[in-house]
Amino acid sequence: MKIIRPDKGEVFDIELDEDLLRRNQKLAEENKKLLDSHKILAIDIMGSVGSGKTSLVVQLVKYLKSKYRIAALAGDTATTIDAERIKSAGAEVMEINTGKECHLDANLIKKALGELNLDKINLLFIENVGNIICPADFPLGSHKRIVVLSLTEGPYVVLKHPFSFIDADVIAINKVDLSQATGIAPAEFEKQLHELKPSLKTAHTNCATGEGIAKVAKALGL
Ligand code: MG
Ligand code: ZN
């Protein structure tokens, strides 16, 4: 089959402008230094629209709030629905509306960190906009990454989007209660993920109920 690909040096996506990526990288390093100086562990959460990112953060906040002082940054294109949900779970929350932008970047995180009282927290969750493609190109300055991969996304996500998973530390294989309905076995994703990167930690989750959340927390060292 004939496959059309961009030639080397041909840039189709303005987001992949090298200068922009370099500037983002520099700001991400500054963010990490700032977080380190306040002894804050930052974890970003990436996943497709509807994969269960907010539900995961809500469950992690409920599970960890007696042990950590938690804040969350909720990236969303337009609404505060996610931010309200996370706030109700017991974390301080700041909303980042990206408008038409389909990802968070280090500059937005820098602005948000400037608004938080960093001496009051020691754990920060950063929920990215629902999208697994371009957020992978924009490090934010976090220490660890969770990718939420839901069974409802179809069987080929890992094979089609390896770059979305390769920089992650933990993959929450979510909506495991829908295994029968989707015809996808969580173990199949697990196998693909470990072939991609043997050190990836995985947890089977149902973020609606909290199933598997303890395992996610443990995989993050929390
Ligand atoms: Mg969300
Ligand atoms: Zn984007």
Side-chain angles (χ1 to χ4, degrees):
M1 193 191 304
K2 188 167 181 182
I3 302 176
I4 299 184
R5 293 196 181 87
D7 289 326
K8 224 179 158 68
E10 225 177 353
V11 177
F12 282 87
D13 189 341
I14 196 160
E15 282 167 0
L16 297 180
D17 178 271
E18 269 186 47
D19 251 15
L20 186 76
L21 292 179
R22 247 198 309 274
R23 259 179 290 143
N24 185 79
Q25 179 67 41
K26 193 168 164 282
L27 285 171
E29 283 160 20
E30 286 173 24
N31 287 345
K32 190 179 268 179
K33 267 190 204 147
L34 180 65
L35 291 161
D36 285 341
S37 71
H38 290 271
K39 298 190 169 58
I40 299 167
L41 178 71
I43 296 166
D44 72 69
I45 296 98
M46 210 172 98
S48 301
V49 173
S51 57
K53 296 179 296 304
T54 308
S55 298
L56 178 82
V57 175
V58 163
Q59 295 291 353
L60 282 170
V61 168
K62 284 185 189 167
Y63 184 75
L64 294 166
K65 68 181 173 187
S66 62
K67 208 172 151 190
Y68 296 93
R69 289 165 291 151
I70 308 173
L73 304 179
D76 193 296
T77 52
T79 74
T80 58
I81 296 169
D82 291 0
E84 297 294 344
R85 287 175 61 200
I86 298 167
K87 195 173 165 197
S88 304
E92 188 187 339
V93 183
M94 189 158 298
E95 164 81 20
I96 304 176
N97 275 155
T98 58
K100 279 184 176 170
E101 278 295 328
C102 48
H103 58 270
L104 292 176
D105 62 37
N107 189 44
L108 287 167
I109 299 305
K110 184 185 170 182
K111 278 192 196 167
L113 292 178
E115 300 289 326
L116 281 176
N117 185 344
L118 300 177
D119 293 320
K120 270 178 62 185
I121 61 166
N122 54 15
L123 180 59
L124 177 71
F125 292 117
I126 304 172
E127 179 185 342
N128 217 312
V129 177
N131 175 6
I132 58 169
I133 300 177
C134 58
D137 289 322
F138 290 83
L140 304 174
S142 51
H143 302 90
K144 289 186 178 180
R145 168 170 293 163
I146 310 173
V147 176
V148 185
L149 165 62
S150 145
L151 298 195
T152 53
E153 293 167 54
Y156 307 119
V157 185
V158 179
L159 302 174
K160 285 186 180 180
H161 302 287
F163 295 111
S164 305
F165 298 93
I166 206 143
D167 290 329
D169 301 281
V170 181
I171 312 292
I173 301 175
N174 195 30
K175 307 192 187 179
V176 289
D177 54 314
L178 299 180
S179 179
Q180 208 170 10
T182 56
I184 300 171
E188 186 55 36
F189 276 154
E190 224 160 22
K191 193 170 148 252
Q192 293 169 355
L193 289 163
H194 287 142
E195 273 166 18
L196 182 69
K197 183 181 175 186
S199 65
L200 266 180
K201 292 178 180 159
T202 56
H204 295 189
T205 58
N206 176 353
C207 292
T209 63
E211 179 189 342
I213 292 303
K215 197 172 173 196
V216 174
K218 196 174 169 213
L220 292 165
L222 298 171

